[in-house]
Structure formats: structure tokens, C-alpha cells
Amino acid sequence: MARQKGLIKLKGTMGDITFYRTKDGYMAREKGGITAERLQNDPRYQRTRENMAEFGRAGKAGKVLRASIQNLLRNSADRRMVSRLTKEMVKVIQMDAVNPRGQRNVIDGEAELLLGFDFNIHGKLEHSISAPFTATIDRVTGDAVVEVEPFIPTEELGAPAGSTHYKIVSAAMDINFENGTFVSEKNATPVQPIDTVMTTALQLNNNLPENSVNPLFLVFGINFYQEVNGTFYELKNGVYNALKIVNVSGTP
């Protein structure tokens, strides 16, 4: 792979060279590789087929998880979040000690490996709010709760320059990765000022189905706003907003 230089940027194929555009600029690469038929049938590529199958399964699992909190991710995700999440899903699948290579899946893997995943690397949760909090999941009752201790916003929030207000958000997800279905619930505080007044203790409750047999997730985050003439605007389209997986309960 080579980077294109010069004023004229090419896209398409010329001879054995393919020109294309990526987020990193205009690139060029030589046409080549094995045929699709050989890849699917040649015994020498068995390991490649197994890896491709599991990578595809990881991508689908990540897509379902993202869909379960899509409204939150619109304002709290970096541009490489999808690829980062897929990479972590591959690790989950690789921990499946039940099924053979190529057939491993998230259900029999270690969903707990997703604990601590930040959906926005530009606004990590620990940099955005330092107030102590707890995040609990009760599989029997389906209660998924985030509790935040009282804090002074100007001291405990890593608010970006220009922000005047914030909102704390949470969501809980019950995900069936095999069927590609989910149940989720979101909760959030009203928009609050970033001032020197101590807050009261905060509790965000999210209710999931009781006695679920699916992996359960709890996410917690914060959004920042700027008030202009009584209207609240997302600061730089949410680039500093944080959202993190703070608890995971794998299959029982």
C-alpha cells in the first residue's frame, strides 16, 4: 500500500494498480491475491476461513451491541469506535472453550472482557467525571443501577472549555447475540449547570427482563453542553462526551 502524492488524486483501477481514498488520504495498491474459489476450498486456507468466520461473527455482535444504545452513541463515539469494538469482540469469541475454531461465538466466550470499553477515546469516562460511583446488575430482578455520590461539578468534572452544563446518562442492555436481538432501557438526568453547588446523591435505574439467560451490560456516561440564550447545544457535536461499559454479567 502506498500513499498518492501530487495535485491530481486518482480513484479506480488502472492496469494492476488500484487507487482509492481512505480516512488517511489517497492510497494505491497493486492488484493481486488469491481467488475467492481457492480461498473457500483450498485446505491450505482452512485457518484463514476460520478466522474470517469468527471476525464476521464479531462484527455482527458489535453491530447488535451498538444498535442497543444507538441513540447514546450518536453523541458519544469516536470515528474508529466500530473497529475498536470489533477487535474486542474477537477477543471475547477467542475465549470460547466449547466450540471448535471457526465456530466460536460470543455466547460461549467471555463477554466480561468488554468491561471498561470506552466508546469515545477522546472523552474517556475517568477523565470526564471523577465522582465515586457504583454500577450493579441484578440478574434475578433485572435491575441495573448506577449510583453516583454527591459531588461539586466544578471540581469533579473534566469539563471541556466552553461547556456550561452537563447531563449524566446510563443504559442497560440484555443482548441475545445468537439471534441478533436485544432489550434495552436508557435513563438520564436533566441538564445541570457546571457550578460550585454540591449535588445530591444520584441514582439511575434501568430495568431489564427478570432471570435473563443472555449477557447483560450496563453503560454510564456524561454529555456536555453550552448554553446560548436559553438553548443547550452539544459541545463540538459531542466529541468530548463520555460513555463506558461499567458492568457486564455474562451468561449464567
Side-chain angles (χ1 to χ4, degrees):
M1 181 175 61
R3 187 182 300 274
Q4 297 185 48
K5 292 185 177 181
L7 297 177
I8 301 177
K9 303 302 182 182
L10 303 176
K11 294 177 67 176
T13 300
M14 297 178 63
D16 292 330
I17 305 297
T18 297
F19 302 89
Y20 59 102
R21 182 181 181 182
T22 71
K23 294 179 180 178
D24 299 314
Y26 288 86
M27 312 297 248
R29 65 185 175 195
E30 185 176 3
K31 183 180 178 181
I34 63 174
T35 64
E37 181 179 359
R38 184 181 178 190
L39 179 62
Q40 292 298 321
N41 300 292
D42 192 327
R44 288 178 292 182
Y45 291 98
Q46 176 64 28
R47 183 59 55 84
T48 301
R49 290 193 291 272
E50 293 170 352
N51 291 338
M52 290 174 59
E54 293 186 352
F55 184 81
R57 198 169 293 119
K60 291 180 180 178
K63 183 177 181 179
V64 176
L65 190 150
R66 298 195 310 272
S68 69
I69 50 171
Q70 189 60 50
N71 60 336
L72 295 182
L73 293 180
R74 290 191 184 99
N75 300 317
S76 305
D78 63 82
R79 68 176 187 172
R80 298 189 184 277
M81 180 272 292
V82 173
S83 61
R84 291 193 299 108
L85 181 58
T86 300
K87 181 179 179 180
E88 296 306 310
M89 280 294 187
V90 169
K91 295 178 183 178
V92 171
I93 288 175
Q94 289 175 339
M95 293 301 293
D96 178 353
V98 178
N99 299 293
R101 285 182 59 94
Q103 298 179 30
R104 294 179 295 187
N105 57 66
V106 174
I107 300 299
D108 296 309
E110 294 291 339
E112 287 83 358
L113 290 177
L114 296 175
L115 178 65
F117 181 82
D118 278 291
F119 291 93
N120 183 9
I121 59 174
H122 303 300
K124 292 187 176 182
L125 185 65
E126 60 267 28
H127 299 160
S128 300
I129 178 169
S130 56
F133 72 91
T134 58
T136 59
I137 296 176
D138 188 322
R139 180 174 290 277
V140 175
T141 64
D143 294 327
V145 183
V146 173
E147 295 178 284
V148 185
E149 295 183 14
F151 65 94
I152 298 175
T154 54
E155 296 182 4
E156 303 291 343
L157 299 183
S163 56
T164 61
H165 289 72
Y166 70 96
K167 177 173 66 176
I168 291 178
V169 301
S170 72
M173 306 95 82
D174 175 321
I175 303 179
N176 186 319
F177 288 104
E178 184 176 355
N179 296 334
T181 58
F182 61 85
V183 175
S184 63
E185 182 170 287
K186 295 88 174 174
N187 206 338
T189 66
V191 175
Q192 302 289 339
I194 301 175
D195 56 22
T196 59
V197 179
M198 177 78 75
T199 67
T200 59
L202 172 67
Q203 181 170 301
L204 295 175
N205 299 305
N206 301 281
N207 302 115
L208 296 175
E210 299 178 0
N211 297 305
S212 173
V213 296
N214 299 319
L216 307 179
F217 301 86
L218 181 58
V219 300
F220 172 52
I222 184 170
N223 296 345
F224 292 103
Y225 302 87
Q226 183 177 76
E227 182 184 16
V228 178
N229 297 326
T231 301
F232 299 107
Y233 297 91
E234 289 277 358
L235 203 66
K236 288 192 175 181
N237 296 321
V239 69
Y240 298 110
N241 293 341
L243 189 68
K244 185 173 188 172
I245 297 178
V246 292
N247 201 337
V248 180
S249 176
T251 52

